[in-house]
Amino acid sequence: MRLFFYSEDLTYPFDEGIKKTAKNIIQTLMLNNDVVSCSKYGMNNATLNQSVIRTNKFFLNIKLFKLINSHKPKCIIYLPSSSATFPSFFRLKVLRLFYSNAKIIMIILQPKYLSLFKLKLISIFKFYPDIALTPSSTVEKQFKSYQINVKFIPLFTNINNFSPVNNIKINRLRERFGIPSDKFIITHIGHINSGRNLEALIPLQSEGNQVVIVSSSSTPDDSPKDPQLKSKLLNNGILILDYYIKDIHSIYHLSDLYIFPVISEGGCIGLPLTILEAIACNTLVLTTNYASIKRIFKGSHKFLIISDHENFHHEVKKIKISNKNYSIDGQSIINKINNKFESRLKNAIR
């Protein structure tokens, strides 16, 4: 099947949730389809069959029009980097006008809130997709209220890139990153900004713990890095690795615990990829009840502890006191989620 995929930012490196999701979707689609992908930012990439076209903010560009029409796709799939903003709906309409024979699919990873006036314009001018896909229960609820055909979809994790390692390699990895081998290592991967509730990690930097934050090199314009927050974290003993790590799975491998403190849904995509990646590496996860996590991981799981961030310190103590071997089959768990993702994506493009 011929498919056309567009997302504004496919800039290397793919070390941020929206870009990683876009890449995972393209690669999944390419397994059984003829896919052309395109972006405004990045470089031409043969692996993703990606072209870069410097469009204006409304997508009014003859090169983009010709690229879509030359491919004659059955489906046009649009994953806006800015999520469901009013301009994103407008750009979706332009893509429909460029090639009216295609089914239009919109993928929204986190919620944005629109005024009643903008919602009215979207309705009047029919800026809707044929179907929207989202890993966010909030977006799902929003879109249903907008009368948009929307389906919930989990996200994909490449288990070839994220898998367990033995204890010998863990010690070597800690030495490589300058992380003490005699500490209980608690890690978090993501942007250093106010939206991620990182101050909740400061109380954990005690009692033999070492908190390590790996900061993404890609930071959204609407949520920039916070130098004051970074200084506060450093001054409290937290170790920050503020550079791109290609083999990011190494961070999960060297961790005793992966922690996710985010509360606000604007702080991350609806289903955090880092939680899925950590589980695939058999790393225990402590997280807030964020967005769609409980929906994906129903019931109780020994590999995932959901708690209020104010109880994190207590939960870490319990984990250390129990001294249990949290042996899990993370690959099997993630495989099931991947299968749901692939099935629902396949159904959407039919």
Side-chain angles (χ1 to χ4, degrees):
M1 185 186 302
R2 292 177 180 270
L3 305 173
F4 182 84
F5 181 95
Y6 192 99
S7 189
E8 285 87 355
D9 189 2
L10 294 177
T11 308
Y12 183 86
F14 294 90
D15 64 342
E16 178 271 335
I18 295 174
K19 291 195 295 184
K20 286 173 82 170
T21 299
K23 179 185 177 184
N24 288 340
I25 290 172
I26 294 169
Q27 291 179 329
T28 301
L29 292 171
M30 289 180 74
L31 294 175
N32 298 296
N33 301 283
D34 179 5
V35 181
V36 168
S37 67
C38 186
S39 66
K40 183 176 181 179
Y41 304 108
M43 297 179 64
N44 293 341
N45 185 332
T47 304
L48 301 178
N49 201 14
Q50 174 194 349
S51 299
V52 175
I53 298 176
R54 308 287 182 184
T55 66
N56 60 25
K57 63 181 180 180
F58 300 116
F59 281 9
L60 301 175
N61 185 285
I62 190 64
K63 288 183 179 179
L64 180 59
F65 172 82
K66 288 182 177 179
L67 179 62
I68 294 172
N69 277 265
S70 65
H71 190 56
K72 294 180 171 56
K74 180 175 180 181
C75 288
I76 294 175
I77 303 154
Y78 176 38
L79 192 163
S81 297
S82 57
S83 198
T85 60
F86 180 76
S88 296
F89 282 101
F90 184 91
R91 290 189 284 265
L92 186 80
K93 180 68 172 181
V94 172
L95 290 174
R96 185 185 293 280
L97 292 173
F98 277 177
Y99 195 73
S100 59
N101 292 331
K103 182 178 185 180
I104 305 295
I105 299 172
M106 193 179 201
I107 300 176
I108 299 299
L109 301 182
Q110 60 192 109
K112 290 291 173 84
Y113 297 91
L114 301 172
S115 68
L116 291 175
F117 175 70
K118 289 179 178 178
L119 289 174
K120 190 68 174 177
L121 289 177
I122 289 169
S123 176
I124 291 171
F125 294 105
K126 295 182 171 56
F127 290 171
Y128 296 154
D130 293 306
I131 184 170
L133 303 175
T134 183
S136 165
S137 296
T138 300
V139 171
E140 181 186 29
K141 184 177 179 181
Q142 278 183 335
F143 275 34
K144 284 181 178 179
S145 72
Y146 302 163
Q147 304 300 309
I148 294 175
N149 180 20
V150 59
K151 303 293 182 184
F152 182 84
I153 188 171
L155 297 180
F156 181 87
T157 304
N158 190 330
I159 60 172
N160 294 321
N161 295 337
F162 298 95
S163 57
V165 294
N166 58 48
N167 290 330
I168 296 173
K169 191 170 183 180
I170 290 172
N171 292 330
R172 291 175 182 169
L173 289 172
R174 291 186 178 182
E175 182 180 354
R176 168 188 161 189
F177 290 105
I179 297 172
S181 59
D182 60 339
K183 300 280 189 179
F184 186 84
I185 307 302
I186 304 169
T187 58
H188 174 73
I189 300 172
H191 308 298
I192 298 179
N193 56 45
S194 58
R196 294 187 75 89
N197 192 33
L198 296 180
E199 290 181 328
L201 304 184
I202 292 175
L204 305 182
Q205 183 59 36
S206 62
E207 302 175 0
N209 303 328
Q210 177 61 60
V211 178
V212 180
I213 297 175
V214 180
S215 175
S216 170
S217 65
S218 306
T219 304
D221 292 336
D222 60 352
S223 190
K225 289 185 179 181
D226 186 338
Q228 290 184 331
L229 175 59
K230 181 179 177 180
S231 295
K232 184 175 183 178
L233 296 169
L234 288 170
N235 290 338
N236 279 277
I238 292 176
L239 177 62
I240 295 177
L241 305 180
D242 198 5
Y243 54 88
Y244 172 59
I245 299 173
K246 185 175 182 180
D247 55 337
I248 195 65
H249 52 270
S250 299
I251 300 301
Y252 303 116
H253 293 159
L254 61 81
S255 306
D256 292 300
L257 176 69
Y258 181 76
I259 197 159
F260 189 82
V262 183
I263 300 171
S264 168
E265 283 202 61
C268 184
I269 61 178
L271 179 58
L273 293 180
T274 56
I275 289 178
L276 302 179
E277 292 166 357
I279 291 170
C281 292
N282 284 2
T283 301
L284 180 65
V285 174
L286 173 60
T287 177
T288 54
N289 182 19
Y290 179 80
S292 303
I293 290 172
K294 268 192 178 177
R295 183 171 180 174
I296 296 296
F297 301 103
K298 296 176 182 177
S300 61
H301 298 281
K302 58 185 177 182
F303 57 84
L304 181 78
I305 300 169
I306 298 175
S307 173
D308 189 282
H309 69 98
E310 293 178 354
N311 294 327
F312 275 1
H313 190 261
H314 177 66
E315 292 291 350
V316 171
K317 276 187 173 182
K318 282 171 54 179
I319 291 166
K320 293 171 69 177
I321 290 171
S322 67
N323 198 28
K324 290 180 181 178
N325 179 16
Y326 288 91
S327 58
I328 62 171
D329 184 5
Q331 298 270 296
S332 175
I333 295 160
I334 298 303
N335 251 329
K336 290 178 182 178
I337 295 172
N338 285 348
N339 289 339
K340 287 182 181 178
F341 164 82
E342 291 170 350
S343 174
R344 292 176 189 182
L345 185 61
K346 184 177 180 180
N347 287 337
I349 65 175
R350 282 178 178 170

